Every structure is written in C-alpha cells, then in structure tokens.
Amino acid sequence: MMKKHRPADVNQLGKLVVDIATGDVQDEEPKSKRAEGGHARAAAMTPERRKEIAAKGAQARWSKHKVATDAAT
C-alpha cells in the first residue's frame, strides 16, 4: 500500500501546513519512480535501437501533421 503524502482531513492538513511554515516539519516530495524508467530503458538500449524508436516516433508525428494539412485543403 502506498503511503499518502498529505492527510485527507482538513484539520490535519492545516496543522501540517503550519508545521511546514514554521519549520517544524521538512516538506520533501518523494522522487517519482516513473521518471527513472525511461532513463534506465534508454541506457539499456543500443544507439541503433534508440535511433529506430526515434525515427518511428517522428514518422508517427509527421504523418498526423500531413493528414491534418491535407484535410484542410
């Protein structure tokens, strides 16, 4: 079960805000594990594979752009 960052109760949240403002509690957001996944995946890939994925993404983006401009004319 994931630990909540902020209390749901309004009174407890108010106390936490005061404690943070007075310096009684350190307000630190935990690092997201989601951001680490992309870097680890890229580090594990070969430069050729990263290039293939980038080219595929660029092709997908530009194909959408081309369809939108063709439809407008």
Side-chain angles (χ1 to χ4, degrees):
M1 187 170 159
M2 194 165 131
K3 183 179 174 184
K4 290 186 179 181
H5 298 100
R6 301 279 188 245
D9 181 52
V10 176
N11 295 321
Q12 290 176 351
L13 180 60
K15 181 182 180 327
L16 178 63
V17 169
V18 170
D19 289 344
I20 291 169
T22 59
D24 293 340
V25 175
Q26 186 70 19
D27 185 29
E28 294 182 15
E29 289 292 324
K31 259 189 156 177
S32 172
K33 295 291 183 184
R34 291 180 64 194
E36 295 176 12
H39 295 290
R41 180 176 179 235
M45 283 186 213
T46 64
E48 293 81 18
R49 180 66 179 136
R50 285 195 305 268
K51 187 175 179 179
E52 290 172 9
I53 292 171
K56 184 178 176 182
Q59 180 66 35
R61 285 190 299 277
W62 282 102
S63 68
K64 290 179 189 175
H65 178 71
K66 185 176 179 179
V67 170
T69 56
D70 290 343
T73 58

